[in-house]
Amino acid sequence: MNEKLIDLISQYSESIIYSALLFILVLIEIWIINRGSAFLKRKVDSLPLIDFKLKSIKLLNESKQRITIKAMITIIKIVLLLIVIYVSLILLLKLFPGTESIINNLIKLIYQPLQIAFKSFVDYLPKLFSVVIVVFIFHYIKMFVKSLFHEIQMGQISIAGIEPQSARITRSIIIFILNVLMLILIIPNFPGYNSLAFNGIAAFVGLLITIGGSSVIANYMAGIVISYMNPCSKGDIVQIGDTTGEVIEFSMFAIKVNTPKLVQVSIPNTNVLSSHFINYNGGTDNFRTILNTTVSLGYDVSFEKANELLIEAAKATKYVDLSPAPFVMQKKLDDFYVVYELNAYTSSVNKMFSIYSEMHKNILIVFNEAGIEILSPHYEERPK
């Protein structure tokens, strides 16, 4: 038994020595790879990096870039370790006879998938070329559309039916249509287009849009209609339904209004489209509006005196325009009193709420000083 063992050892002594040397070499390679990975990661910490931006959008800050680089180093290290172990295992088996089948299986384990992947890639190249050509063409078409509508928006080019204020939304619609057409052309060239998995994902996405996206799509379509209506701009004082305030944001899904109580209200575009919309700024910077309020006075007060006091109260109010002058209308002859309506122009529409407050205060002051009782006040407002 000992003689057989000795013969076996002497027969494979050279292979055993080479195996030991190979094992030591593998350990050295693993040590070098690990030390090299640690060294590179330390160098990454001292690299002078800057934030990676795409135009004005910050994609990666310094810390995220360091994390990404370190993750790539770790992936490369793992790949190198696997290659070293795989190649060393094949070399080790080659040192001993009778292991050819195992070596062939190990080689096939890696070679066959790589061969299939490479062949699939080569077969897909014509479709990939078609995708690149389509994307390239649509990219330059979209650049032309953006440039054209930018000139329209700036007033440099005039096209019948397209106003400068609606150029932005028209451009967005055309770009969206172009993107949809591009996807229709390139999706059939995607790998696995006719597979059950691809069809299942497409059906699932369509179901999600049908169930959960109906309100989003409705608000977006309403936003398009409102954009073409151009009912207001940022900073305008508006009344939408029962909400009155200053427009602070106008998007494709909602309008945000800041009320006089400093409460921010988001109104979905579908609600905006179905409600009455009053813009006290009239959509222009130099627009005037008429502020009006009504007071009820007894028949014992002459209309000349009532008009005089009401106009005096209006002229004493800050931000009320003196030209055109305030005026009074006898609005109603009731059983016991006359309803007078005071009308006053103002160019400071954004201060409308404080103007009303001061005007009402001045009305109380002048009538109290004149000893005249106000019977039944009613307040309302209307744009010019």
Side-chain angles (χ1 to χ4, degrees):
M1 184 69 179
N2 291 334
E3 291 179 359
K4 289 184 179 180
L5 181 60
I6 292 171
D7 292 339
L8 187 63
I9 292 174
S10 61
Q11 183 181 355
Y12 293 106
S13 59
E14 187 177 352
S15 299
I16 293 172
I17 293 172
Y18 283 135
S19 299
L21 292 175
L22 181 62
F23 180 74
I24 294 172
L25 181 61
V26 169
L27 292 179
I28 294 173
E29 290 174 345
I30 292 174
W31 180 83
I32 292 173
I33 292 172
N34 287 326
R35 289 300 297 266
S37 173
F39 173 78
L40 291 176
K41 288 181 180 179
R42 287 196 301 270
K43 284 294 184 181
V44 169
D45 291 330
S46 60
L47 283 177
L49 300 175
I50 59 175
D51 293 340
F52 182 70
K53 295 181 178 179
L54 182 62
K55 294 184 178 180
S56 61
I57 303 173
K58 184 185 292 186
L59 298 179
L60 286 174
N61 56 26
E62 290 185 33
S63 61
K64 289 183 178 178
Q65 288 183 55
R66 296 185 199 280
I67 293 172
T68 303
I69 295 173
K70 288 181 179 180
M72 292 175 63
I73 292 173
T74 302
I75 293 171
I76 294 172
K77 182 187 76 170
I78 294 172
V79 172
L80 290 176
L81 289 174
L82 291 175
I83 292 174
V84 167
I85 294 172
Y86 177 75
V87 173
S88 302
L89 186 58
I90 292 176
L91 293 176
L92 179 63
L93 291 173
K94 279 190 174 183
L95 295 174
F96 298 95
T99 58
E100 290 80 5
S101 60
I102 300 176
I103 294 173
N104 291 334
N105 290 333
L106 283 174
I107 293 174
K108 289 179 181 179
L109 184 67
I110 301 297
Y111 176 73
Q112 285 185 346
L114 289 177
Q115 185 184 29
I116 294 171
F118 181 76
K119 185 178 182 302
S120 300
F121 176 75
V122 172
D123 293 340
Y124 180 67
L125 280 178
K127 291 185 177 180
L128 180 62
F129 183 74
S130 300
V131 170
V132 172
I133 292 297
V134 171
V135 172
F136 180 81
I137 293 173
F138 273 87
H139 172 71
Y140 281 95
I141 292 175
K142 288 186 286 186
M143 286 182 61
F144 171 75
V145 170
K146 290 178 181 178
S147 176
L148 174 64
F149 280 92
H150 176 72
E151 296 296 324
I152 295 174
Q153 189 173 359
M154 300 301 295
Q156 302 296 325
I157 299 176
S158 178
I159 297 180
I162 302 177
E163 300 295 331
Q165 60 268 20
S166 62
R168 182 180 63 85
I169 184 63
T170 306
R171 179 191 64 193
S172 300
I173 293 172
I174 294 176
I175 294 296
F176 175 77
I177 293 173
L178 288 174
N179 286 331
V180 171
L181 290 175
M182 182 180 68
L183 288 175
I184 291 174
L185 291 175
I186 67 175
I187 284 179
N189 292 319
F190 284 177
Y193 172 71
N194 294 320
S195 65
L196 290 176
F198 192 96
N199 294 334
I201 292 172
F204 179 71
V205 172
L207 183 64
L208 286 180
I209 294 175
T210 302
I211 296 175
S214 57
S215 60
V216 175
I217 295 173
N219 278 307
Y220 186 82
M221 297 303 296
I224 293 175
V225 175
I226 293 171
S227 297
Y228 279 106
M229 291 169 58
N230 193 31
C232 66
S233 302
K234 187 177 179 180
D236 287 353
I237 302 297
V238 300
Q239 179 179 343
I240 305 172
D242 297 328
T243 304
T244 303
E246 178 185 355
V247 176
I248 59 175
E249 185 180 337
F250 178 45
S251 69
M252 295 304 298
F253 296 97
I255 292 179
K256 291 184 180 180
V257 176
N258 202 22
T259 69
K261 302 298 183 182
L262 300 180
V263 176
Q264 188 179 111
V265 181
S266 295
I267 306 172
N269 284 335
T270 50
N271 292 359
V272 174
L273 201 60
S274 61
S275 304
H276 65 277
F277 195 112
I278 300 175
N279 187 349
Y280 291 100
N281 290 78
T284 59
D285 296 332
N286 56 355
F287 186 80
R288 283 180 175 176
T289 189
I290 297 178
L291 306 182
N292 60 77
T293 184
T294 59
V295 295
S296 300
L297 304 174
Y299 282 96
D300 57 324
V301 181
S302 65
F303 75 90
E304 293 91 348
K305 185 65 174 178
N307 287 7
E308 177 188 345
L309 294 176
L310 288 171
I311 291 174
E312 179 185 346
K315 289 182 176 180
T317 303
K318 192 177 180 181
Y319 300 114
V320 166
D321 296 343
L322 300 181
S323 178
F327 61 93
V328 179
M329 299 180 67
Q330 286 65 237
K331 194 170 184 180
K332 185 179 180 182
L333 300 177
D334 216 319
D335 293 338
F336 304 102
Y337 52 81
V338 181
V339 179
Y340 295 90
E341 181 184 74
L342 171 62
N343 298 271
Y345 291 89
T346 181
S347 301
S348 303
V349 183
N350 291 351
K351 297 180 175 62
M352 180 177 66
F353 305 106
S354 60
I355 295 172
Y356 267 124
S357 177
E358 187 177 352
M359 184 185 294
H360 295 155
K361 181 191 72 174
N362 291 335
I363 290 173
L364 292 174
I365 291 173
V366 297
F367 277 93
N368 283 338
E369 291 176 350
I372 298 175
E373 181 182 2
I374 300 176
L375 300 181
S376 177
H378 301 279
Y379 306 117
E380 63 181 10
E381 62 202 16
R382 61 183 173 85
K384 182 177 178 182

mmCIF file of all heavy atoms in Angstrom, residues 240-279:
data_model
loop_
_atom_site.group_PDB
_atom_site.id
_atom_site.type_symbol
_atom_site.label_atom_id
_atom_site.label_comp_id
_atom_site.label_asym_id
_atom_site.label_seq_id
_atom_site.Cartn_x
_atom_site.Cartn_y
_atom_site.Cartn_z
ATOM 1 N N ILE A 240 -61.166 82.257 -8.919
ATOM 2 C CA ILE A 240 -61.525 80.991 -9.562
ATOM 3 C C ILE A 240 -62.521 80.293 -8.650
ATOM 4 O O ILE A 240 -62.170 79.841 -7.563
ATOM 5 C CB ILE A 240 -60.287 80.104 -9.777
ATOM 6 C CG1 ILE A 240 -59.201 80.851 -10.557
ATOM 7 C CG2 ILE A 240 -60.670 78.821 -10.501
ATOM 8 C CD1 ILE A 240 -57.882 80.116 -10.649
ATOM 9 N N GLY A 241 -63.762 80.226 -9.089
ATOM 10 C CA GLY A 241 -64.793 79.672 -8.212
ATOM 11 C C GLY A 241 -64.949 80.546 -6.981
ATOM 12 O O GLY A 241 -65.231 81.747 -7.076
ATOM 13 N N ASP A 242 -64.750 79.959 -5.809
ATOM 14 C CA ASP A 242 -64.862 80.703 -4.550
ATOM 15 C C ASP A 242 -63.505 81.156 -4.014
ATOM 16 O O ASP A 242 -63.431 81.686 -2.905
ATOM 17 C CB ASP A 242 -65.551 79.823 -3.485
ATOM 18 C CG ASP A 242 -66.969 79.462 -3.873
ATOM 19 O OD1 ASP A 242 -67.619 80.294 -4.550
ATOM 20 O OD2 ASP A 242 -67.431 78.359 -3.508
ATOM 21 N N THR A 243 -62.436 80.937 -4.772
ATOM 22 C CA THR A 243 -61.095 81.271 -4.312
ATOM 23 C C THR A 243 -60.597 82.533 -5.004
ATOM 24 O O THR A 243 -60.634 82.628 -6.240
ATOM 25 C CB THR A 243 -60.112 80.120 -4.600
ATOM 26 O OG1 THR A 243 -60.594 78.926 -3.991
ATOM 27 C CG2 THR A 243 -58.726 80.440 -4.063
ATOM 28 N N THR A 244 -60.141 83.491 -4.204
ATOM 29 C CA THR A 244 -59.602 84.743 -4.724
ATOM 30 C C THR A 244 -58.200 84.935 -4.157
ATOM 31 O O THR A 244 -57.974 84.736 -2.960
ATOM 32 C CB THR A 244 -60.487 85.940 -4.337
ATOM 33 O OG1 THR A 244 -61.814 85.724 -4.811
ATOM 34 C CG2 THR A 244 -59.937 87.234 -4.938
ATOM 35 N N GLY A 245 -57.263 85.320 -5.002
ATOM 36 C CA GLY A 245 -55.907 85.557 -4.529
ATOM 37 C C GLY A 245 -54.951 85.814 -5.679
ATOM 38 O O GLY A 245 -55.365 86.013 -6.826
ATOM 39 N N GLU A 246 -53.640 85.766 -5.370
ATOM 40 C CA GLU A 246 -52.591 86.038 -6.347
ATOM 41 C C GLU A 246 -52.047 84.729 -6.920
ATOM 42 O O GLU A 246 -51.742 83.799 -6.174
ATOM 43 C CB GLU A 246 -51.455 86.822 -5.685
ATOM 44 C CG GLU A 246 -50.282 87.115 -6.615
ATOM 45 C CD GLU A 246 -49.127 87.789 -5.901
ATOM 46 O OE1 GLU A 246 -49.289 88.106 -4.703
ATOM 47 O OE2 GLU A 246 -48.078 87.981 -6.528
ATOM 48 N N VAL A 247 -51.942 84.676 -8.236
ATOM 49 C CA VAL A 247 -51.389 83.495 -8.903
ATOM 50 C C VAL A 247 -49.885 83.438 -8.641
ATOM 51 O O VAL A 247 -49.152 84.379 -8.955
ATOM 52 C CB VAL A 247 -51.657 83.531 -10.415
ATOM 53 C CG1 VAL A 247 -50.994 82.333 -11.101
ATOM 54 C CG2 VAL A 247 -53.147 83.528 -10.693
ATOM 55 N N ILE A 248 -49.410 82.342 -8.019
ATOM 56 C CA ILE A 248 -47.982 82.194 -7.740
ATOM 57 C C ILE A 248 -47.352 81.110 -8.607
ATOM 58 O O ILE A 248 -46.130 81.066 -8.737
ATOM 59 C CB ILE A 248 -47.733 81.893 -6.243
ATOM 60 C CG1 ILE A 248 -48.454 80.605 -5.823
ATOM 61 C CG2 ILE A 248 -48.156 83.051 -5.382
ATOM 62 C CD1 ILE A 248 -48.156 80.184 -4.401
ATOM 63 N N GLU A 249 -48.163 80.255 -9.199
ATOM 64 C CA GLU A 249 -47.616 79.219 -10.087
ATOM 65 C C GLU A 249 -48.703 78.737 -11.033
ATOM 66 O O GLU A 249 -49.847 78.531 -10.626
ATOM 67 C CB GLU A 249 -47.061 78.045 -9.277
ATOM 68 C CG GLU A 249 -46.373 76.986 -10.135
ATOM 69 C CD GLU A 249 -45.825 75.837 -9.313
ATOM 70 O OE1 GLU A 249 -45.579 76.025 -8.108
ATOM 71 O OE2 GLU A 249 -45.628 74.749 -9.879
ATOM 72 N N PHE A 250 -48.318 78.576 -12.301
ATOM 73 C CA PHE A 250 -49.254 78.098 -13.318
ATOM 74 C C PHE A 250 -48.579 76.958 -14.064
ATOM 75 O O PHE A 250 -47.623 77.165 -14.798
ATOM 76 C CB PHE A 250 -49.614 79.241 -14.270
ATOM 77 C CG PHE A 250 -50.532 78.837 -15.387
ATOM 78 C CD1 PHE A 250 -51.637 78.049 -15.136
ATOM 79 C CD2 PHE A 250 -50.292 79.240 -16.686
ATOM 80 C CE1 PHE A 250 -52.494 77.672 -16.147
ATOM 81 C CE2 PHE A 250 -51.131 78.866 -17.725
ATOM 82 C CZ PHE A 250 -52.244 78.088 -17.451
ATOM 83 N N SER A 251 -49.037 75.730 -13.814
ATOM 84 C CA SER A 251 -48.429 74.554 -14.426
ATOM 85 C C SER A 251 -49.447 73.852 -15.309
ATOM 86 O O SER A 251 -50.593 74.289 -15.443
ATOM 87 C CB SER A 251 -47.913 73.593 -13.349
ATOM 88 O OG SER A 251 -48.989 73.001 -12.649
ATOM 89 N N MET A 252 -49.014 72.730 -15.907
ATOM 90 C CA MET A 252 -49.892 71.974 -16.788
ATOM 91 C C MET A 252 -50.895 71.130 -16.022
ATOM 92 O O MET A 252 -51.765 70.501 -16.638
ATOM 93 C CB MET A 252 -49.059 71.068 -17.700
ATOM 94 C CG MET A 252 -48.159 71.820 -18.665
ATOM 95 S SD MET A 252 -49.068 72.977 -19.702
ATOM 96 C CE MET A 252 -50.135 71.856 -20.573
ATOM 97 N N PHE A 253 -50.805 71.095 -14.694
ATOM 98 C CA PHE A 253 -51.719 70.262 -13.912
ATOM 99 C C PHE A 253 -52.571 71.071 -12.933
ATOM 100 O O PHE A 253 -53.655 70.643 -12.578
ATOM 101 C CB PHE A 253 -50.929 69.206 -13.138
ATOM 102 C CG PHE A 253 -50.221 68.225 -14.008
ATOM 103 C CD1 PHE A 253 -48.883 68.388 -14.323
ATOM 104 C CD2 PHE A 253 -50.888 67.144 -14.556
ATOM 105 C CE1 PHE A 253 -48.226 67.492 -15.138
ATOM 106 C CE2 PHE A 253 -50.235 66.237 -15.379
ATOM 107 C CZ PHE A 253 -48.905 66.414 -15.676
ATOM 108 N N ALA A 254 -52.092 72.225 -12.484
ATOM 109 C CA ALA A 254 -52.838 72.987 -11.483
ATOM 110 C C ALA A 254 -52.378 74.436 -11.481
ATOM 111 O O ALA A 254 -51.305 74.777 -11.995
ATOM 112 C CB ALA A 254 -52.657 72.379 -10.088
ATOM 113 N N ILE A 255 -53.207 75.283 -10.905
ATOM 114 C CA ILE A 255 -52.868 76.684 -10.670
ATOM 115 C C ILE A 255 -52.810 76.899 -9.166
ATOM 116 O O ILE A 255 -53.746 76.532 -8.443
ATOM 117 C CB ILE A 255 -53.899 77.630 -11.308
ATOM 118 C CG1 ILE A 255 -53.833 77.545 -12.825
ATOM 119 C CG2 ILE A 255 -53.671 79.076 -10.855
ATOM 120 C CD1 ILE A 255 -54.828 78.435 -13.544
ATOM 121 N N LYS A 256 -51.710 77.462 -8.685
ATOM 122 C CA LYS A 256 -51.556 77.740 -7.262
ATOM 123 C C LYS A 256 -51.845 79.209 -7.004
ATOM 124 O O LYS A 256 -51.277 80.087 -7.668
ATOM 125 C CB LYS A 256 -50.149 77.377 -6.780
ATOM 126 C CG LYS A 256 -49.880 75.883 -6.761
ATOM 127 C CD LYS A 256 -48.504 75.573 -6.195
ATOM 128 C CE LYS A 256 -48.261 74.063 -6.184
ATOM 129 N NZ LYS A 256 -46.911 73.732 -5.639
ATOM 130 N N VAL A 257 -52.740 79.452 -6.034
ATOM 131 C CA VAL A 257 -53.176 80.815 -5.706
ATOM 132 C C VAL A 257 -52.875 81.080 -4.245
ATOM 133 O O VAL A 257 -53.162 80.243 -3.381
ATOM 134 C CB VAL A 257 -54.691 80.982 -5.990
ATOM 135 C CG1 VAL A 257 -55.172 82.357 -5.553
ATOM 136 C CG2 VAL A 257 -54.977 80.763 -7.469
ATOM 137 N N ASN A 258 -52.299 82.247 -3.976
ATOM 138 C CA ASN A 258 -52.028 82.675 -2.605
ATOM 139 C C ASN A 258 -53.128 83.639 -2.185
ATOM 140 O O ASN A 258 -53.255 84.731 -2.744
ATOM 141 C CB ASN A 258 -50.657 83.354 -2.519
ATOM 142 C CG ASN A 258 -50.093 83.338 -1.119
ATOM 143 O OD1 ASN A 258 -50.485 82.516 -0.291
ATOM 144 N ND2 ASN A 258 -49.191 84.245 -0.826
ATOM 145 N N THR A 259 -53.959 83.255 -1.216
ATOM 146 C CA THR A 259 -55.104 84.056 -0.801
ATOM 147 C C THR A 259 -54.647 85.208 0.097
ATOM 148 O O THR A 259 -53.516 85.218 0.589
ATOM 149 C CB THR A 259 -56.131 83.188 -0.049
ATOM 150 O OG1 THR A 259 -55.577 82.807 1.214
ATOM 151 C CG2 THR A 259 -56.465 81.937 -0.857
ATOM 152 N N PRO A 260 -55.530 86.197 0.354
ATOM 153 C CA PRO A 260 -55.172 87.303 1.260
ATOM 154 C C PRO A 260 -54.823 86.832 2.675
ATOM 155 O O PRO A 260 -54.152 87.551 3.416
ATOM 156 C CB PRO A 260 -56.428 88.170 1.272
ATOM 157 C CG PRO A 260 -57.125 87.851 -0.004
ATOM 158 C CD PRO A 260 -56.838 86.421 -0.283
ATOM 159 N N LYS A 261 -55.269 85.652 3.070
ATOM 160 C CA LYS A 261 -54.947 85.097 4.388
ATOM 161 C C LYS A 261 -53.634 84.315 4.366
ATOM 162 O O LYS A 261 -53.316 83.603 5.313
ATOM 163 C CB LYS A 261 -56.075 84.166 4.854
ATOM 164 C CG LYS A 261 -57.440 84.839 4.941
ATOM 165 C CD LYS A 261 -57.461 85.959 5.949
ATOM 166 C CE LYS A 261 -58.873 86.555 6.063
ATOM 167 N NZ LYS A 261 -58.895 87.685 7.012
ATOM 168 N N LEU A 262 -52.865 84.457 3.240
ATOM 169 C CA LEU A 262 -51.582 83.773 3.074
ATOM 170 C C LEU A 262 -51.734 82.253 3.107
ATOM 171 O O LEU A 262 -50.874 81.532 3.599
ATOM 172 C CB LEU A 262 -50.570 84.223 4.138
ATOM 173 C CG LEU A 262 -50.232 85.721 4.139
ATOM 174 C CD1 LEU A 262 -49.214 86.037 5.227
ATOM 175 C CD2 LEU A 262 -49.724 86.173 2.779
ATOM 176 N N VAL A 263 -52.867 81.781 2.577
ATOM 177 C CA VAL A 263 -53.116 80.353 2.441
ATOM 178 C C VAL A 263 -52.923 79.985 0.971
ATOM 179 O O VAL A 263 -53.510 80.605 0.083
ATOM 180 C CB VAL A 263 -54.538 79.979 2.901
ATOM 181 C CG1 VAL A 263 -54.802 78.499 2.662
ATOM 182 C CG2 VAL A 263 -54.729 80.313 4.370
ATOM 183 N N GLN A 264 -52.080 78.997 0.715
ATOM 184 C CA GLN A 264 -51.815 78.566 -0.657
ATOM 185 C C GLN A 264 -52.838 77.506 -1.068
ATOM 186 O O GLN A 264 -52.975 76.481 -0.408
ATOM 187 C CB GLN A 264 -50.391 78.014 -0.773
ATOM 188 C CG GLN A 264 -49.970 77.723 -2.208
ATOM 189 C CD GLN A 264 -48.557 77.194 -2.280
ATOM 190 O OE1 GLN A 264 -48.327 76.023 -2.601
ATOM 191 N NE2 GLN A 264 -47.588 78.044 -1.977
ATOM 192 N N VAL A 265 -53.532 77.766 -2.158
ATOM 193 C CA VAL A 265 -54.572 76.870 -2.652
ATOM 194 C C VAL A 265 -54.164 76.360 -4.033
ATOM 195 O O VAL A 265 -53.850 77.158 -4.926
ATOM 196 C CB VAL A 265 -55.938 77.581 -2.741
ATOM 197 C CG1 VAL A 265 -57.008 76.619 -3.241
ATOM 198 C CG2 VAL A 265 -56.331 78.154 -1.383
ATOM 199 N N SER A 266 -54.146 75.041 -4.202
ATOM 200 C CA SER A 266 -53.860 74.424 -5.500
ATOM 201 C C SER A 266 -55.184 74.013 -6.132
ATOM 202 O O SER A 266 -55.928 73.211 -5.561
ATOM 203 C CB SER A 266 -52.941 73.214 -5.342
ATOM 204 O OG SER A 266 -51.657 73.596 -4.872
ATOM 205 N N ILE A 267 -55.459 74.561 -7.301
ATOM 206 C CA ILE A 267 -56.727 74.303 -7.981
ATOM 207 C C ILE A 267 -56.430 73.473 -9.232
ATOM 208 O O ILE A 267 -55.732 73.947 -10.139
ATOM 209 C CB ILE A 267 -57.428 75.618 -8.368
ATOM 210 C CG1 ILE A 267 -57.570 76.517 -7.140
ATOM 211 C CG2 ILE A 267 -58.781 75.345 -8.988
ATOM 212 C CD1 ILE A 267 -58.074 77.896 -7.454
ATOM 213 N N PRO A 268 -56.904 72.215 -9.301
ATOM 214 C CA PRO A 268 -56.659 71.392 -10.501
ATOM 215 C C PRO A 268 -57.206 72.061 -11.745
ATOM 216 O O PRO A 268 -58.223 72.780 -11.701
ATOM 217 C CB PRO A 268 -57.402 70.087 -10.182
ATOM 218 C CG PRO A 268 -57.531 70.064 -8.690
ATOM 219 C CD PRO A 268 -57.657 71.496 -8.268
ATOM 220 N N ASN A 269 -56.538 71.846 -12.855
ATOM 221 C CA ASN A 269 -56.932 72.512 -14.102
ATOM 222 C C ASN A 269 -58.329 72.119 -14.561
ATOM 223 O O ASN A 269 -59.006 72.904 -15.224
ATOM 224 C CB ASN A 269 -55.911 72.202 -15.197
ATOM 225 C CG ASN A 269 -54.633 72.998 -15.023
ATOM 226 O OD1 ASN A 269 -54.632 74.076 -14.412
ATOM 227 N ND2 ASN A 269 -53.538 72.488 -15.538
ATOM 228 N N THR A 270 -58.758 70.890 -14.232
ATOM 229 C CA THR A 270 -60.128 70.511 -14.606
ATOM 230 C C THR A 270 -61.146 71.377 -13.873
ATOM 231 O O THR A 270 -62.172 71.747 -14.442
ATOM 232 C CB THR A 270 -60.374 69.029 -14.272
ATOM 233 O OG1 THR A 270 -59.969 68.765 -12.906
ATOM 234 C CG2 THR A 270 -59.584 68.122 -15.200
ATOM 235 N N ASN A 271 -60.872 71.721 -12.599
ATOM 236 C CA ASN A 271 -61.763 72.611 -11.852
ATOM 237 C C ASN A 271 -61.709 74.028 -12.402
ATOM 238 O O ASN A 271 -62.725 74.734 -12.442
ATOM 239 C CB ASN A 271 -61.385 72.622 -10.369
ATOM 240 C CG ASN A 271 -61.649 71.302 -9.686
ATOM 241 O OD1 ASN A 271 -62.144 70.367 -10.317
ATOM 242 N ND2 ASN A 271 -61.307 71.186 -8.421
ATOM 243 N N VAL A 272 -60.510 74.457 -12.815
ATOM 244 C CA VAL A 272 -60.368 75.804 -13.379
ATOM 245 C C VAL A 272 -61.190 75.917 -14.653
ATOM 246 O O VAL A 272 -61.891 76.908 -14.877
ATOM 247 C CB VAL A 272 -58.882 76.111 -13.666
ATOM 248 C CG1 VAL A 272 -58.743 77.449 -14.379
ATOM 249 C CG2 VAL A 272 -58.071 76.108 -12.383
ATOM 250 N N LEU A 273 -61.118 74.883 -15.482
ATOM 251 C CA LEU A 273 -61.814 74.917 -16.766
ATOM 252 C C LEU A 273 -63.331 74.886 -16.599
ATOM 253 O O LEU A 273 -64.057 75.420 -17.435
ATOM 254 C CB LEU A 273 -61.352 73.725 -17.616
ATOM 255 C CG LEU A 273 -61.547 73.830 -19.126
ATOM 256 C CD1 LEU A 273 -60.792 75.025 -19.684
ATOM 257 C CD2 LEU A 273 -61.084 72.553 -19.803
ATOM 258 N N SER A 274 -63.815 74.266 -15.514
ATOM 259 C CA SER A 274 -65.267 74.155 -15.305
ATOM 260 C C SER A 274 -65.816 75.265 -14.420
ATOM 261 O O SER A 274 -67.015 75.288 -14.145
ATOM 262 C CB SER A 274 -65.592 72.792 -14.671
ATOM 263 O OG SER A 274 -64.952 72.646 -13.410
ATOM 264 N N SER A 275 -64.953 76.192 -13.954
ATOM 265 C CA SER A 275 -65.406 77.286 -13.088
ATOM 266 C C SER A 275 -65.292 78.610 -13.827
ATOM 267 O O SER A 275 -64.586 78.728 -14.831
ATOM 268 C CB SER A 275 -64.568 77.347 -11.803
ATOM 269 O OG SER A 275 -64.585 76.120 -11.114
ATOM 270 N N HIS A 276 -66.003 79.628 -13.293
ATOM 271 C CA HIS A 276 -65.823 80.971 -13.843
ATOM 272 C C HIS A 276 -64.472 81.514 -13.390
ATOM 273 O O HIS A 276 -64.033 81.283 -12.270
ATOM 274 C CB HIS A 276 -66.956 81.893 -13.411
ATOM 275 C CG HIS A 276 -67.008 82.152 -11.941
ATOM 276 N ND1 HIS A 276 -67.607 81.285 -11.048
ATOM 277 C CD2 HIS A 276 -66.519 83.187 -11.193
ATOM 278 C CE1 HIS A 276 -67.488 81.763 -9.819
ATOM 279 N NE2 HIS A 276 -66.839 82.911 -9.871
ATOM 280 N N PHE A 277 -63.821 82.235 -14.281
ATOM 281 C CA PHE A 277 -62.449 82.704 -14.053
ATOM 282 C C PHE A 277 -62.447 84.217 -14.231
ATOM 283 O O PHE A 277 -62.726 84.726 -15.313
ATOM 284 C CB PHE A 277 -61.494 82.044 -15.059
ATOM 285 C CG PHE A 277 -60.044 82.162 -14.707
ATOM 286 C CD1 PHE A 277 -59.311 81.046 -14.353
ATOM 287 C CD2 PHE A 277 -59.392 83.388 -14.737
ATOM 288 C CE1 PHE A 277 -57.961 81.145 -14.034
ATOM 289 C CE2 PHE A 277 -58.062 83.506 -14.419
ATOM 290 C CZ PHE A 277 -57.342 82.380 -14.069
ATOM 291 N N ILE A 278 -62.118 84.929 -13.147
ATOM 292 C CA ILE A 278 -62.057 86.390 -13.191
ATOM 293 C C ILE A 278 -60.618 86.819 -12.955
ATOM 294 O O ILE A 278 -60.008 86.431 -11.958
ATOM 295 C CB ILE A 278 -62.977 87.030 -12.127
ATOM 296 C CG1 ILE A 278 -64.431 86.617 -12.362
ATOM 297 C CG2 ILE A 278 -62.845 88.550 -12.157
ATOM 298 C CD1 ILE A 278 -65.384 87.098 -11.292
ATOM 299 N N ASN A 279 -60.076 87.601 -13.883
ATOM 300 C CA ASN A 279 -58.735 88.147 -13.743
ATOM 301 C C ASN A 279 -58.853 89.646 -13.529
ATOM 302 O O ASN A 279 -59.201 90.394 -14.435
ATOM 303 C CB ASN A 279 -57.893 87.841 -14.991
ATOM 304 C CG ASN A 279 -56.438 88.236 -14.817
ATOM 305 O OD1 ASN A 279 -56.063 88.909 -13.870
ATOM 306 N ND2 ASN A 279 -55.607 87.819 -15.754
#
